[in-house]
Amino acid sequence: MNKNSNTYTFLYATALVVVVATALSLTATGLKSRQQKNIEVEKKQNILLSVNKAGALDSVPDRNAYIEELYRRYIVEEYLVDADGHRKEGDAFAMNMKTQYDIIREINAAGVTDEEKLALRGKLSLPVFVCRNDDSTLKYIVPVYGLGLWGAIWGYVSLDDDFNTVYGAIFDHKGETPGLGAEIAFPKFFKQFEGKQLFKEGQFTSIRIVKGGAPAGDRHGVNAISGGTITSRGVEEMLKNCLTEYKPFFGQQERFKESKN
Amino acid sequence: MEAEKTGNNTGLFWKLFTAPLGKNNPITVLVLGICSALAVTVQLESALVMGLAVTIVTGFSSLIVSSLRATISPRIRIIVQLVVVATLVIIVDQVLRAYAYNASKQLSIFVGLIITNCIIMGRIEAFALANKPWLSLIDGIGNGLGYGIILVIVAFFRELFGSGTLMGYQIIPESWYIVNGGFYENNGLMILPPAALIVVGLIIWVQRSFYKV
Amino acid sequence: MENIISIFVKSIFVDNMIFAFFLGMCSYIAVSKNVKTAMGLGMAVIFVQLVTLPINYLLNTYLLTPGSLAWVSPELAGMDLSFLSFIIFIAVIASIVQILEMVIEKVAPALYNQLGIFLPLIAVNCAIMGGSLFMQEREYANLGEATAFALGSGIGWCLAIAGIAAIREKLSYSNVPTPLRGVGITFILTGLMGIAFMSFMGIKL
């Protein structure tokens, strides 16, 4: 057949498309379950890291099994709460924090009336994960989500059962500048949050990220990343915005009330 | 081309394979494929994965296009080549996501950018379209590795001086650091994007003085 | 609106395609020997970016993202075609470039004489493909944001190549060490320009 004829070109293109489409869909469907498993394990790993578990990650032969095992052992409960702090139906683990962040962002946008805020808050379903440590104390883990310099940043913050003291925190990001903003994902930054307090004399203050360094002994502030001002500010905003929505939930917990008296 | 005339022999294979590693290096001498090369060189690990991915894609796309070369209509040549390359890249991306999740997260969009890596299209146009499949495979792999080598060299210096680590392991002793009472501090500039360009510029300088190009 | 302006300015100065991501370096190095041709290529990149990126944005939103087929019929909501994005993006870019080349040749021969030779080069320019992939990764909220990013990243690329071409013109009168001449010194200069551009990073709009 003449290679330059239209029919040849057309048939050739069709055959090529069929072959390529088959090859690609086979690869994609064949690998899909494994890819989703990776994403799931990564989320579990981050949740565990926020309560300082999964420390021996580099030395285990099978990471996935190790993470699954720890998750089963320590995370005893996961549930959703609404904006009033009451439990809500739904799968807490599958809840994508980005959807919640989109609502939170609308709530905090300029020019939103109180009624609109109320309606928006009605849509919230906030995940809570409960971890029971070996000494049977309970730690409560809440996810946070926000914007850094280039794109999304997110993390998990774990709290003691007084719902005031931070037990641990971990942050991750989509594409902050390596060496600057990307430092939020390193222990040097997120370890600072341990022992900090969200409330000052009963008032919610969140945690400030102080440029140039927080004063020693400041229980409500940590050091910002030098050269990563916008990312640091993003983390501060993220904590404030997300944790604000959890406040009613904190307020209903027994130990929280006790600690205020 | 001349490769067709001399036929298959080990010497030729060897020459095809080694030339791109030094004298005909695609990055430093032919200046191809720099686009996606530099952004992935902050850490040695991601540079290795990227080098490997590109080697696989250049090798197999050259092999496939060379096997098909008698059948491709000249009118749709470029599109056919792009489709072959894009398909291979998608497969590599999917496999990375399944089996090397962390590396694929670090490489993010740069895996997709392998498609527009000039080395691949360059080797197909310049070599695979005129030569036998096996020769093209060797040529493709050689060029992919030549690209990988530069990536690894750049990443070696950037990770060592920028973070004090290699493959994630601490190399510079902790006690050297100023915070621990020593005299040393990591060079923050090495982690930033422009450092990659400067390091490549210096490598070209060294290489060209060596080969007297 | 603020968001759109912020994306536009940021994509020119802060996440500059060349200085922050090294995209489109091949043609950047090859075609930056004098300012006139460099500007020609730069214009062509802005143009192609501005046409392809919004098209890819629409394809991504209504075809490729998981669950995006729901508008066709609810049964298709579970489909995930995201693995096809690379091939679709590159196909769109290659065909748009081809069509543009033909249209410009017919409609505006003068423009064709300026841009024509660069158009085929652009199909494999990483800045164009990279623009589409960044658009997908950063999940821009609407077509306006995606277009602002397209225009900004194109202008940023054009600015970079015009800048380096101007420097290289002057450089031809300087005594650079022989092995460093040409490509080597261009890399180092681009690195230095990149460091200068990094000072825009603290700016928040």
Side-chain angles (χ1 to χ4, degrees):
Chain A
M1 204 187 231
N2 177 10
K3 268 206 287 179
N4 286 321
S5 76
N6 281 340
T7 345
Y8 181 86
T9 313
F10 186 74
L11 286 177
Y12 195 90
T14 322
L16 189 74
V17 166
V18 171
V19 172
V20 165
T22 330
L24 287 185
S25 33
L26 281 180
T27 331
T29 35
L31 296 172
K32 183 132 205 174
S33 61
R34 229 193 131 91
Q35 293 170 356
Q36 274 166 348
K37 187 90 205 158
N38 283 334
I39 295 169
E40 189 191 315
V41 166
E42 191 197 20
K43 187 166 180 179
K44 287 185 172 167
Q45 178 185 327
N46 279 337
I47 292 174
L48 287 167
L49 281 170
S50 77
V51 278
N52 307 324
K53 301 288 182 290
L57 209 55
D58 290 325
S59 54
V60 289
D62 184 353
R63 285 169 67 120
N64 286 14
Y66 173 73
I67 298 284
E68 296 278 356
E69 160 62 23
L70 284 178
Y71 196 82
R72 260 196 307 277
R73 192 185 331 157
Y74 288 111
I75 307 299
V76 287
E77 215 181 345
E78 39 189 51
Y79 49 81
L80 292 172
V81 296
D82 62 17
D84 298 324
H86 300 299
R87 295 241 189 146
K88 207 173 165 178
E89 283 293 303
D91 183 349
F93 189 77
M95 174 56 69
N96 184 349
M97 200 51 194
K98 182 172 190 301
T99 57
Q100 303 305 306
Y101 168 72
D102 288 338
I103 303 175
I104 293 173
R105 189 161 60 163
E106 273 184 66
I107 294 174
N108 292 317
V112 181
T113 64
D114 284 352
E115 283 140 51
E116 283 166 342
K117 279 190 183 174
L118 204 63
L120 283 167
R121 288 211 159 100
K123 289 197 265 177
L124 286 172
S125 330
L126 304 160
V128 177
F129 304 91
V130 186
C131 160
R132 188 167 60 218
N133 270 353
D134 291 327
D135 58 3
S136 73
T137 51
L138 294 180
K139 308 291 170 196
Y140 295 81
I141 304 158
V142 296
V144 289
Y145 192 102
L147 277 185
L149 173 64
W150 305 110
I153 51 177
W154 61 90
Y156 295 88
V157 178
S158 66
L159 301 169
D160 282 342
D161 58 1
D162 63 355
F163 292 91
N164 179 14
T165 315
V166 175
Y167 179 67
I170 180 159
F171 302 106
D172 206 348
H173 59 92
K174 196 150 205 173
E176 298 304 298
T177 325
L180 303 176
E183 296 289 306
I184 59 164
F186 288 95
K188 199 180 158 216
F189 179 70
F190 61 71
K191 283 285 176 206
Q192 296 185 83
F193 285 80
E194 288 172 15
K196 301 292 173 192
Q197 292 187 334
L198 299 179
F199 293 84
K200 193 177 192 172
E201 289 150 13
Q203 284 296 311
F204 177 72
T205 50
S206 187
I207 295 172
R208 283 176 311 121
I209 308 219
V210 189
K211 199 174 169 178
D218 184 350
R219 306 181 74 177
H220 309 276
V222 297
N223 301 340
I225 295 159
S226 51
T229 314
I230 293 177
T231 314
S232 301
R233 214 183 292 154
V235 173
E236 185 177 289
E237 286 275 297
M238 163 170 88
L239 290 172
K240 188 166 139 263
N241 291 343
C242 293
L243 293 175
T244 303
E245 302 307 321
Y246 278 97
K247 235 169 38 185
F249 166 73
F250 299 158
Q252 283 174 6
Q253 309 299 316
E254 281 308 311
R255 287 290 311 275
F256 180 76
K257 289 178 201 156
E258 280 168 35
S259 67
K260 289 290 150 300
N261 295 328
Chain B
M1 284 217 292
E2 87 186 87
E4 285 278 26
K5 276 180 252 153
T6 35
N8 292 0
N9 61 56
T10 345
L12 176 68
F13 272 154
W14 188 242
K15 222 178 90 195
L16 274 178
F17 185 71
T18 50
L21 300 185
K23 195 162 69 162
N24 269 329
N25 189 286
I27 294 192
T28 54
V29 180
L30 308 176
V31 204
L32 290 174
I34 319 145
C35 319
S36 54
L38 302 176
V40 298
T41 50
V42 179
Q43 284 160 333
L44 196 52
E45 195 190 346
S46 36
L48 277 173
V49 176
M50 185 71 179
L52 197 66
V54 170
T55 308
I56 291 172
V57 176
T58 27
F60 283 97
S61 61
S62 285
L63 177 70
I64 294 173
V65 172
S66 169
S67 324
L68 293 176
R69 69 186 193 278
T71 66
I72 301 173
S73 152
R75 280 195 293 175
I76 51 167
R77 191 186 79 225
I78 298 283
I79 291 281
V80 171
Q81 290 166 5
L82 276 178
V83 168
V84 170
V85 176
T87 312
L88 284 168
V89 171
I90 294 177
I91 292 175
V92 167
D93 178 50
Q94 295 286 328
V95 171
L96 281 181
R97 271 174 213 229
Y99 293 94
Y101 182 65
N102 276 331
S104 100
K105 237 179 30 178
Q106 274 165 9
L107 295 179
S108 70
I109 73 154
F110 293 97
V111 181
L113 283 174
I114 298 177
I115 297 177
T116 47
N117 192 319
C118 320
I119 296 176
I120 299 173
M121 289 300 273
R123 288 330 288 170
I124 291 178
E125 286 278 297
F127 195 89
L129 278 178
N131 283 290
K132 294 209 179 83
W134 294 115
L135 289 178
S136 308
L137 177 67
I138 299 288
D139 177 75
I141 290 178
N143 275 284
L145 288 177
Y147 165 92
I149 277 187
I150 300 293
L151 247 65
V152 168
I153 296 176
V154 177
F156 175 85
F157 287 114
R158 287 183 76 189
E159 190 176 347
L160 184 62
F161 294 118
S163 327
T165 57
L166 281 179
M167 299 294 287
Y169 295 103
Q170 191 72 35
I171 297 291
I172 311 272
E174 292 281 356
S175 58
W176 284 17
Y177 286 97
I178 291 176
V179 264
N180 300 329
F183 57 88
Y184 184 80
E185 198 157 15
N186 285 330
N187 184 349
L189 181 66
M190 291 307 265
I191 318 182
L192 299 176
L197 291 163
I198 296 175
V199 174
V200 174
L202 296 176
I203 292 177
I204 292 178
W205 189 1
V206 171
Q207 205 197 11
R208 291 200 171 174
S209 344
F210 185 73
Y211 285 108
K212 303 261 184 325
V213 185
Chain C
M1 196 59 209
E2 287 162 37
N3 219 351
I4 289 181
I5 297 172
S6 151
I7 288 176
F8 176 69
V9 176
K10 231 165 74 174
S11 54
I12 298 179
F13 296 106
V14 186
D15 25 353
N16 187 290
M17 281 285 178
I18 292 276
F19 298 131
F21 300 105
F22 323 107
L23 297 182
M25 284 295 283
C26 305
S27 25
Y28 170 84
I29 301 274
V31 196
S32 59
K33 290 200 183 75
N34 70 68
V35 177
K36 203 165 159 253
T37 34
M39 277 307 280
L41 183 65
M43 288 300 169
V45 166
I46 299 179
F47 195 59
V48 175
Q49 189 79 299
L50 206 50
V51 179
T52 54
L53 210 140
I55 296 180
N56 280 339
Y57 178 81
L58 292 175
L59 281 170
N60 188 43
T61 333
Y62 294 105
L63 187 70
L64 297 171
T65 330
S68 60
L69 281 169
W71 61 275
V72 183
S73 88
E75 288 143 42
L76 290 175
M79 288 271 277
D80 179 4
L81 291 181
S82 52
F83 66 92
L84 284 178
S85 34
F86 296 168
I87 208 165
I88 296 217
F89 288 168
I90 194 73
V92 166
I93 293 167
S95 34
I96 293 284
V97 168
Q98 194 88 63
I99 294 169
L100 275 180
E101 200 183 342
M102 290 190 280
V103 170
I104 296 179
E105 195 180 5
K106 285 261 156 56
V107 181
L111 188 64
Y112 182 78
N113 286 338
Q114 277 178 353
L115 294 188
I117 45 162
F118 300 116
L119 280 170
L121 258 180
I122 283 174
V124 286
N125 188 319
C126 311
I128 308 285
M129 181 72 180
S132 290
L133 290 173
F134 273 129
M135 170 275 293
Q136 187 187 35
E137 194 191 74
R138 292 182 189 158
E139 297 169 354
Y140 286 119
N142 53 48
L143 191 60
E145 288 188 12
T147 316
F149 172 64
L151 187 62
S153 59
I155 293 179
W157 199 90
C158 181
L159 199 66
I161 194 171
I164 194 77
I167 296 178
R168 284 181 81 174
E169 274 186 5
K170 289 269 176 282
L171 207 65
S172 51
Y173 304 108
S174 315
N175 188 15
V176 179
T178 327
L180 203 55
R181 274 189 199 155
V183 188
I185 194 73
T186 312
F187 270 107
I188 294 176
L189 281 173
T190 312
L192 295 175
M193 286 166 80
I195 295 175
F197 264 66
M198 285 194 70
S199 54
F200 288 114
M201 224 156 63
I203 295 171
K204 190 171 190 182
L205 280 165

